[in-house]
Amino acid sequence: MEKYLPVIMEDKEKIAKTLHKLLPGLMNALKNSKTQKEARHNAKNYLAHIHISPARATVHNWGVICRRRLTNIMRPHNEKESGFSTTEALYLIAKDTKNAKNFTTAYLNELLHIFMGISIPADRNMRPRREFASQQKEAQYRSSLLDGYSLGMQKHFKKFSCGLDASLAKKREKNKKKILAYFGGSQKDWDNWLWHLRHIIKEKRVLEDLLHLNKEELAGLSLAEKKQIPFNITPYYLSLFDFNGKSEEDRAIRAQVLPKKESVALISKTKDISQALDFMGERFTSPIQLITRRYPQIVIIKPFDACPQICQYCQRNWELKTVGDANLPAKKKIDNAINWVAAHKSISEVLITGGDPLTLNNKILEDIISKVAKISNVQRIRIGTRTPVTLPFRIDSGLINILKKFHKWGEREICIVTHFEHASEITPQALEAIKKIKNAGLNVYNQQVFTYYNSRRFETAFLRKNLKLCGIDPYYSFNTKGKEETRHFMVPISRIKQERWEEARLLPGIVRTDEPVFNIPKIGKAHLRAAGTSNRLIGLTGKGERVYKFFPWEVANPDAESYVYTDVGIYDYLRRLEGEGEKIGDYSTIWYY
């Protein structure tokens, strides 16, 4: 089937003519309509009675999905919410294929693949059932197919690097020596997490002195300094860079911490940055200072507002400060937050995050954890931290002893929730930190943000495989949120769904334990696999972007609002991948998710 489907077509009129060939009955019904209202009615009637071939119904129900999709995006209230009329577009194209010139190529490609999904004949995808001499022969044939799936996945894996690879570790050892020489440090300093905090890279000048930066990176860093938009990189994380800026594994590393000029420009235009960048609407879910609550049994306590490293796509970067500039909230505020949790007996779990709480010293951290642990109804304390990735030396014996002290088997769990984005971040130093945590009897979970820079075929599957080998459980894979200044990180929702069905599905079940989710402002997580219940495609924009409506998980709450989200376009995403040398034919089915 993939060979039959063109991934992208460019000629607009040719696309329009193809639409007529694929579904002539529909296009004639539209052409013969006198008004758009009549056209919508005729289209609805046609789609309700069209026969979906068995082939289309057997492959993930794509034929049924595409029929439902077209019906849905032509509904008047959906067109109103999405701000664009597919009914009008199809009506005009049906009247004259030359009218296709008035629409974007991205939009027309979305229509093309909807029509293809509905119309591909059965003989394109269905073969006669094979006959086997015995059940064993059939099993052997089936086994050979499974070998093919596995070998295909392994072929893709060869494109990616794990930070445990000896050659990569050797290169990074050279980077470490260069950084130490620059700051006048020793190996003893390198092993001291406080030394790294004292030497966080916050200036473009330091990066220019140590490594190659391209024009785009220099422009972003220059504007960030001019507009006083902070960027933080720990010396350790800087050692993960390819200082020549040419290797594959360097791509995901740099993207996370080097500000883009376009992003900084958007941020700096905002008069009230903290108000504009609070994409998740945390102010609306904070019943008391330092507390965020979106779910029945878990709350967030944020005792610290800084991270040793600021990720460019972070949902909380609107409130993060540079470590040296951060102030620990008054002890009274922290105690008030903890007392608030104690007063709410429905809460059984507390996530201590921020900022990165492990930036605090052990004494302060123990004081906070001990007070939370005294709350009788709290059965689990999560520590949300990225230090295993950005500052693994922070996981010292003092910290481990604190965590062990409050971890009570069968009574209260202390666990670590961290954030590896790419397998190249899994280094010998990170592994040593994880080993210390695991040897203390604690679980470690990973939350990956699914961004453009880790979204290539089997890239996330490769991360999962390596995480599990290191004792880390994949927990969530987050669809990148829709903050406009982070748009270059964003991936179409259909891509994360495709990844789950076609790549993660090939991994052993114990490896693919993460759940793909979308965080709805004010409400919280919607499970992306629950299409139709948690989310629904309601329209397309003129730019070929899909418009989704997400529904609150709080079914019983009449005040909980749904959320309309405009995604990045599939056409633009595929063209961007192609520009980096990817074979977009590998992604051809993305249109059907």
Side-chain angles (χ1 to χ4, degrees):
M1 183 196 65
E2 286 83 356
K3 292 180 180 178
Y4 169 72
L5 296 177
V7 183
I8 286 175
M9 287 178 66
E10 292 294 342
D11 187 305
K12 293 182 179 181
E13 190 168 356
K14 187 176 180 180
I15 294 174
K17 289 178 179 178
T18 304
L19 297 180
H20 280 267
K21 289 178 181 178
L22 289 170
L23 292 177
L26 173 61
M27 296 305 279
N28 286 332
L30 292 168
K31 183 178 180 179
N32 295 329
S33 302
K34 295 180 180 179
T35 65
Q36 285 186 38
K37 184 177 180 180
E38 184 183 344
R40 180 181 287 111
H41 172 78
N42 290 340
K44 181 181 177 181
N45 187 57
Y46 175 88
L47 291 169
H49 295 92
I50 189 173
H51 172 68
I52 301 295
S53 79
R56 297 292 76 220
T58 55
V59 184
H60 303 308
N61 287 320
W62 283 340
V64 175
I65 288 170
C66 288
R67 177 174 62 184
R68 185 186 306 131
R69 181 174 295 169
L70 186 55
T71 302
N72 213 32
I73 66 177
M74 293 179 74
R75 297 184 193 279
H77 60 279
N78 285 343
E79 290 186 334
K80 185 176 180 180
E81 281 199 276
S82 61
F84 184 84
S85 175
T86 288
T87 303
E88 180 181 2
L90 281 174
Y91 181 62
L92 292 173
I93 293 169
K95 293 286 187 184
D96 188 346
T97 56
K98 292 181 179 179
N99 285 328
K101 69 179 184 295
N102 299 317
F103 304 99
T104 66
T105 307
Y107 173 74
L108 292 172
N109 270 275
E110 277 282 1
L111 287 183
L112 174 67
H113 286 86
I114 290 174
F115 275 49
M116 283 180 170
I118 297 171
S119 66
I120 293 176
D123 58 6
R124 289 284 185 181
N125 198 52
M126 295 189 75
R127 301 171 182 168
R129 177 172 171 77
R130 290 175 179 266
E131 296 295 331
F132 296 94
S134 68
Q135 290 180 339
Q136 185 180 41
K137 290 291 184 183
E138 184 171 356
Q140 289 170 351
Y141 172 73
R142 169 68 174 156
S143 180
S144 69
L145 289 179
L146 296 175
D147 282 338
Y149 296 148
S150 183
L151 292 172
M153 180 165 55
Q154 291 174 29
K155 183 179 178 181
H156 279 280
F157 283 175
K158 290 178 181 178
K159 295 193 298 185
F160 311 121
S161 300
C162 178
L164 298 175
D165 295 348
S167 59
L168 193 52
K170 185 177 180 180
K171 184 164 60 175
R172 288 167 170 179
E173 182 68 19
K174 291 181 180 178
N175 293 346
K176 179 192 78 175
K177 291 178 180 178
K178 187 174 181 179
I179 295 168
L180 282 173
Y182 184 85
F183 288 114
S186 64
Q187 180 62 49
K188 185 178 180 181
D189 290 324
W190 189 261
D191 295 336
N192 183 346
W193 68 282
L194 294 172
W195 181 87
H196 288 263
L197 289 187
R198 290 194 295 270
H199 293 87
I200 289 173
I201 292 97
K202 313 171 189 175
E203 299 171 309
K204 175 171 72 78
R205 170 185 56 81
V206 178
L207 293 174
E208 285 182 296
D209 290 343
L210 284 168
L211 57 111
H212 171 76
L213 295 165
N214 61 38
K215 290 181 180 179
E216 183 181 330
E217 291 167 340
L218 285 168
L221 289 162
S222 297
L223 189 60
E225 286 195 339
K226 181 180 179 181
K227 300 296 184 179
Q228 297 183 314
I229 305 297
F231 59 89
N232 290 357
I233 309 171
T234 65
Y236 163 78
Y237 199 79
L238 186 64
S239 75
L240 307 189
F241 279 48
D242 177 350
F243 280 17
N244 295 318
K246 296 178 180 179
S247 67
E248 189 282 327
E249 71 274 358
D250 191 57
R251 175 178 176 273
I253 300 290
R254 290 190 176 218
Q256 292 179 62
V257 290
L258 298 182
K260 285 250 182 200
K261 181 180 178 181
E262 296 79 7
S263 300
V264 176
L266 283 168
I267 295 170
S268 59
K269 284 180 181 178
T270 308
K271 292 181 180 179
D272 184 354
I273 290 177
S274 65
Q275 182 73 31
L277 301 190
D278 180 15
F279 175 78
M280 283 301 296
E282 292 204 24
R283 287 180 177 84
F284 298 94
T285 54
S286 297
I288 185 175
Q289 280 188 301
L290 311 186
I291 291 286
T292 297
R293 188 181 189 185
R294 299 192 195 100
Y295 309 107
Q297 291 193 307
I298 181 170
V299 298
I300 294 172
I301 295 181
K302 298 182 287 185
F304 196 54
D305 62 358
C307 280
Q309 185 159 295
I310 297 177
C311 301
Q312 293 299 308
Y313 50 78
C314 178
Q315 75 177 45
R316 289 201 186 98
N317 56 13
W318 60 277
E319 63 179 353
L320 294 181
K321 298 182 177 66
T322 299
V323 169
D325 301 331
N327 296 309
L328 185 70
K331 187 173 180 294
K332 184 177 180 181
K333 284 186 179 180
I334 295 175
D335 288 343
N336 284 344
I338 294 171
N339 290 336
W340 185 91
V341 175
H344 289 75
K345 302 302 180 184
S346 60
I347 294 169
S348 64
E349 194 162 325
V350 173
L351 168 59
I352 300 174
T353 182
D356 196 319
L358 293 195
T359 313
L360 298 169
N361 65 47
N362 288 344
K363 183 179 179 181
I364 296 173
L365 198 59
E366 181 172 12
D367 181 63
I368 294 170
I369 295 175
S370 67
K371 289 175 180 176
V372 175
K374 288 177 182 176
I375 302 172
S376 60
N377 45 288
V378 172
Q379 298 174 330
R380 181 175 294 106
I381 300 173
R382 303 186 203 175
I383 310 295
T385 177
R386 210 179 176 212
T387 53
V389 184
T390 65
L391 193 58
F393 316 105
R394 173 63 184 98
I395 313 300
D396 57 20
S397 58
L399 173 63
I400 293 297
N401 289 335
I402 292 170
L403 300 178
K404 284 176 67 176
K405 180 178 178 180
F406 298 103
H407 182 73
K408 304 293 184 183
W409 290 100
E411 181 182 333
R412 182 193 316 109
E413 179 188 12
I414 306 292
C415 63
I416 301 294
V417 180
T418 192
H419 176 39
F420 285 90
E421 274 288 279
H422 197 271
S424 62
E425 294 174 324
I426 304 174
T427 65
Q429 296 79 18
L431 178 58
E432 188 60 33
I434 298 301
K435 283 166 62 178
K436 291 177 183 177
I437 298 168
K438 295 292 286 187
N439 286 337
L442 276 62
N443 291 320
V444 183
Y445 301 95
N446 193 69
Q447 297 187 145
Q448 182 208 32
V449 180
F450 194 73
T451 74
Y452 174 78
Y453 301 98
N454 57 26
S455 70
R456 290 172 296 179
R457 274 293 202 179
F458 292 97
E459 197 162 11
T460 288
F462 185 68
L463 170 65
R464 289 189 194 97
K465 178 181 81 77
N466 285 283
L467 287 173
K468 283 298 292 185
L469 290 173
C470 297
I472 305 168
D473 293 315
Y475 172 43
Y476 276 132
S477 46
F478 282 95
N479 190 79
T480 316
K481 297 167 203 66
K483 295 197 296 183
E484 193 59 35
E485 74 279 3
T486 61
R487 199 163 182 82
H488 65 282
F489 283 105
M490 291 166 60
V491 177
I493 286 174
S494 54
R495 173 63 190 126
I496 199 170
K497 290 181 177 180
Q498 181 188 45
E499 196 280 335
R500 171 58 53 171
W501 272 102
E502 299 181 13
E503 295 149 57
R505 185 65 184 84
L506 302 182
L507 293 167
I510 203 168
V511 177
R512 51 180 166 87
T513 53
D514 52 329
E515 177 71 27
V517 295
F518 184 98
N519 245 355
I520 305 173
K522 303 182 188 179
I523 298 297
K525 300 174 188 67
H527 288 219
L528 286 173
R529 285 195 287 179
T533 53
S534 73
N535 64 88
R536 187 179 301 154
L537 177 64
I538 63 168
L540 298 171
T541 71
K543 296 179 181 179
E545 303 156 326
R546 295 184 180 185
V547 181
Y548 293 87
K549 177 175 278 191
F550 284 87
F551 304 99
W553 61 266
E554 297 178 82
V555 179
N557 182 358
D559 297 321
E561 298 177 357
S562 57
Y563 175 70
V564 176
Y565 168 72
T566 302
D567 203 7
V568 293
I570 294 175
Y571 174 89
D572 294 335
Y573 171 71
L574 291 176
R575 280 292 182 230
R576 189 178 176 191
L577 284 175
E578 189 176 46
E580 290 196 4
E582 280 290 288
K583 297 177 181 178
I584 59 173
D586 291 343
Y587 301 81
S588 63
T589 58
I590 189 173
W591 301 95
Y592 300 97
Y593 289 95

